[in-house]
Amino acid sequence: MVKGIFVNKRGERFINEDAYHGRVGHYVLRQPEGKAWLLVDNEIFGRPVIQPDIEVAAVGETWEEVERELDLPAGSLVRTVTEFNRHAAEGRDPLFHKASNWLRPLTTAPFAALSYCIGDLKAHAFTMGGLHTRPSGEVLDADGQPIAGLFAAGRSACGLPRWGEGYSSGMSLGDSTFFGRQAGLAVATRQDT
């Protein structure tokens, strides 16, 4: 369903849908009122493997019907889909630069909006962040001072992948192996152990 498009409560796209799913999730959570939907047409309709019971928030024979069912500002969704379809037919996405192999106009009725609204979507991602540390793995308190004897690395530490916005798959592995080794070396060279 990467060929669909995400819209928010304003009826506007907000991300290239072929982005890493952690990045997409991050942007979905940032939308006004926590509202976001994935628009699909009959040719690409499906239910996500991760959540096959996803709520179908709106269905219509026209995008106008879907817009009304979602209670979006008049004309907003229609403008967004019309513009997307025009560019997708030309194999380009000048707004978000979605790869051309994922671009196709959404023109085959019926049309649907799958709910990615907060409260409708089960969490199927993971958190970012964790304990603040020095590069040596020493955990820092709220004042930025090391907590004696406490070390962390990987997903339990707030290392390189602090936010989903810039995260890509595998960053936690690099973070774990590099900073885990740094933490191990710091513990091994401590004089008070």
Side-chain angles (χ1 to χ4, degrees):
M1 294 192 308
V2 175
K3 294 177 182 175
I5 59 173
F6 276 106
V7 296
N8 59 24
K9 183 70 177 160
R10 296 183 201 120
E12 301 169 338
R13 280 180 76 206
F14 54 87
I15 192 165
N16 56 314
E17 298 78 12
D18 59 345
Y20 179 72
H21 70 274
R23 181 177 172 83
V24 171
H26 182 78
Y27 277 84
V28 163
L29 292 173
R30 287 178 153 185
Q31 296 315 299
E33 299 178 36
K35 304 282 186 184
W37 299 274
L38 180 64
L39 303 181
V40 295
D41 70 359
N42 194 52
E43 283 189 27
I44 62 168
F45 177 83
R47 295 192 180 261
V49 174
I50 295 173
Q51 188 175 348
D53 61 342
I54 193 166
E55 180 183 334
V56 178
V59 176
E61 290 300 315
T62 66
W63 286 114
E64 289 86 353
E65 290 177 37
V66 173
E67 181 180 270
R68 281 193 303 274
E69 221 173 303
L70 294 175
D71 195 29
L72 300 178
S76 63
L77 183 71
V78 172
R79 275 189 303 278
T80 295
V81 173
T82 299
E83 183 177 355
F84 173 80
N85 284 347
R86 181 171 53 87
H87 292 300
E90 298 168 354
R92 57 191 198 95
D93 179 14
L95 292 178
F96 294 99
H97 311 291
K98 185 186 228 179
S100 61
N101 56 312
W102 298 113
L103 288 173
R104 62 169 296 287
L106 303 174
T107 56
T108 307
F111 306 109
L114 305 179
S115 181
Y116 278 74
C117 298
I118 294 174
D120 290 341
L121 190 64
K122 296 174 187 168
H124 60 256
F126 47 84
T127 59
M128 296 285 149
L131 301 169
H132 288 275
T133 63
R134 288 184 170 168
S136 58
E138 295 165 285
V139 175
L140 305 175
D141 66 17
D143 296 322
Q145 299 304 309
I147 299 172
L150 185 58
F151 291 79
R155 286 271 171 89
S156 62
C158 193
L160 296 177
R162 288 176 184 245
W163 304 277
E165 187 169 347
Y167 180 79
S168 63
S169 194
M171 283 181 76
S172 293
L173 295 173
D175 207 27
S176 298
T177 56
F178 180 81
F179 291 109
R181 180 170 166 69
Q182 296 304 307
L185 290 170
V187 169
T189 59
R190 285 183 50 183
Q191 301 297 316
D192 61 345
T193 57

